[in-house]
């Protein structure tokens, strides 16, 4: 494994808690989360294969929100381990409810910064990475807080296997342009899009969440998918 990057003190996310957790979610934080939590990345390297030894692939979701996309993908692909990271406590509580209700055994969670877990993964250990509707930090002075930075893309390229895919979706034009510009500078990524349908039309396996339906950005969703060469 290469030397882990230094992220610095800047967080790529805002608040980590809003309303008080519902009793059921609070209970799941105490009972279910410890059972499916990713090992503390500060303790050393994490082998995702060890989290589900019989998994045929490992997928990674950065900032899973309420967990709808993660849970649906896990239900569709029970033989795939999906590791999800989310710093927002209420989102983790929601995801735990999805995991319990759908009896998902192939989900592992980290309540915190996804970049810490990413840095603890071995080279070429993931088949897919999802970054869906991340905080856009639209003001120019806040762009340094965006989760997509050049060093993040370099880390994603490191942990993805050749042929692996990185999907980024946003409903902010500037963030799409920002990500595309930086991804094209990363020599390990190839953008296979050839026509507008490739970024304007949702991929066949995309899961539309309630957050996406709110249309909070300044454009219809833009779907960018890159291949690890």
């Amino acid at each position: 494994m290469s030397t882990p990057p230094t992220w610095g003190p800047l967080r790529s996310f805002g608040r980590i808690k809003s309303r008080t957790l519902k009793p059921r979610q609070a209970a799941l934080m105490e009972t279910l989360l410890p059972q499916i939590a990713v090992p503390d990345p500060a303790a050393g390297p994490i082998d995702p294969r060890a989290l589900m030894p019989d998994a045929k692939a490992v997928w990674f979701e950065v900032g899973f929100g309420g967990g709808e996309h993660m849970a649906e993908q896990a239900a569709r692909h029970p033989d795939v381990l999906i590791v999800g990271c989310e710093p927002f406590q209420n989102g983790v509580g929601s995801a735990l409810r999805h995991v319990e209700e759908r009896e998902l055994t192939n989900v592992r969670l980290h309540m915190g910064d996804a970049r810490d877990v990413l840095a603890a993964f071995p080279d070429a250990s993931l088949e897919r990475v999802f970054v869906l509707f991340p905080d856009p930090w639209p003001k120019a002075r806040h762009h340094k807080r965006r989760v997509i930075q050049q060093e993040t893309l370099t880390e994603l390229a490191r942990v993805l296997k050749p042929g692996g895919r990185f999907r980024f979706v946003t409903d902010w034009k500037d963030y799409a342009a920002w990500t595309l510009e930086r991804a094209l500078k990363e020599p390990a990524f190839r953008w296979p899009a050839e026509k507008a349908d490739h970024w304007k039309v949702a991929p066949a396996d995309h899961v539309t969440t309630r957050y996406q339906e709110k249309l909070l950005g300044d454009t219809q969703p833009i779907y960018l998918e890159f291949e690890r060469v």
Side-chain angles (χ1 to χ4, degrees):
M1 180 183 297
S2 60
T3 302
T6 300
W7 301 117
L10 289 178
R11 295 197 323 192
S12 62
F13 47 90
R15 60 184 181 172
I16 59 174
K17 184 178 180 181
S18 60
R19 63 187 182 280
T20 301
L21 289 175
K22 296 177 181 178
R24 180 182 173 192
Q25 293 182 353
L28 290 173
M29 294 283 279
E30 296 294 328
T31 58
L32 180 57
L33 181 58
Q35 299 177 36
I36 63 173
V38 174
D40 183 359
I46 299 171
D47 180 1
R49 292 286 176 177
L51 303 179
M52 183 177 167
D54 59 343
K56 76 170 188 179
V58 182
W59 298 358
F60 187 60
E61 183 162 352
V62 176
F64 55 71
E68 291 174 71
H69 172 270
M70 179 178 59
E72 179 61 25
Q73 293 287 10
R76 292 179 185 178
H77 305 279
D79 53 354
V80 171
L81 170 64
I82 301 184
V83 178
C85 300
E86 173 60 52
F88 190 48
Q89 187 180 86
N90 299 81
V92 175
S94 174
L96 289 170
R97 179 176 57 82
H98 288 303
V99 170
E100 182 191 49
E101 288 179 351
R102 305 184 74 162
E103 299 182 343
L104 301 173
T105 61
N106 57 329
V107 173
R108 302 293 182 270
L109 303 182
H110 173 69
M111 188 167 66
D113 196 327
R115 297 173 299 178
D116 295 334
V117 176
L118 189 66
F121 280 163
D123 296 354
S125 55
L126 306 178
E127 278 78 10
R128 300 189 70 181
V129 173
F130 300 93
V131 181
L132 309 178
F133 301 96
D135 194 321
W137 294 104
K139 295 181 181 180
R141 69 177 183 272
H142 293 153
H143 284 181
K144 60 190 175 183
R145 292 186 178 273
R146 288 176 168 175
V147 69
I148 298 298
Q149 304 289 343
Q150 206 67 51
E151 59 267 29
T152 314
L153 292 166
T154 298
E155 273 294 276
L156 292 180
R158 180 184 68 79
V159 298
L160 277 168
K161 294 182 177 181
R165 290 178 288 162
F166 160 47
R167 179 178 298 172
F168 176 87
V169 185
T170 184
D171 51 7
W172 289 86
K173 294 177 183 177
D174 176 71
Y175 206 173
W178 166 283
T179 299
L180 182 59
E181 176 187 0
R182 284 156 180 77
L184 292 177
K185 290 179 181 178
E186 172 51 61
F189 281 133
R190 181 179 74 91
W191 187 41
E194 297 176 347
K195 54 185 179 180
D197 279 0
H198 289 168
W199 65 84
K200 291 183 178 180
V201 178
D205 65 344
H206 177 68
V207 177
T208 299
T209 63
R210 287 175 294 174
Y211 179 87
Q212 178 176 341
E213 291 173 344
K214 293 178 181 180
L215 300 174
L216 299 176
D218 60 4
T219 185
Q220 290 296 311
I222 298 171
Y223 306 88
L224 302 177
E225 186 141 308
F226 304 94
E227 181 183 2
R228 175 66 164 90
V229 299

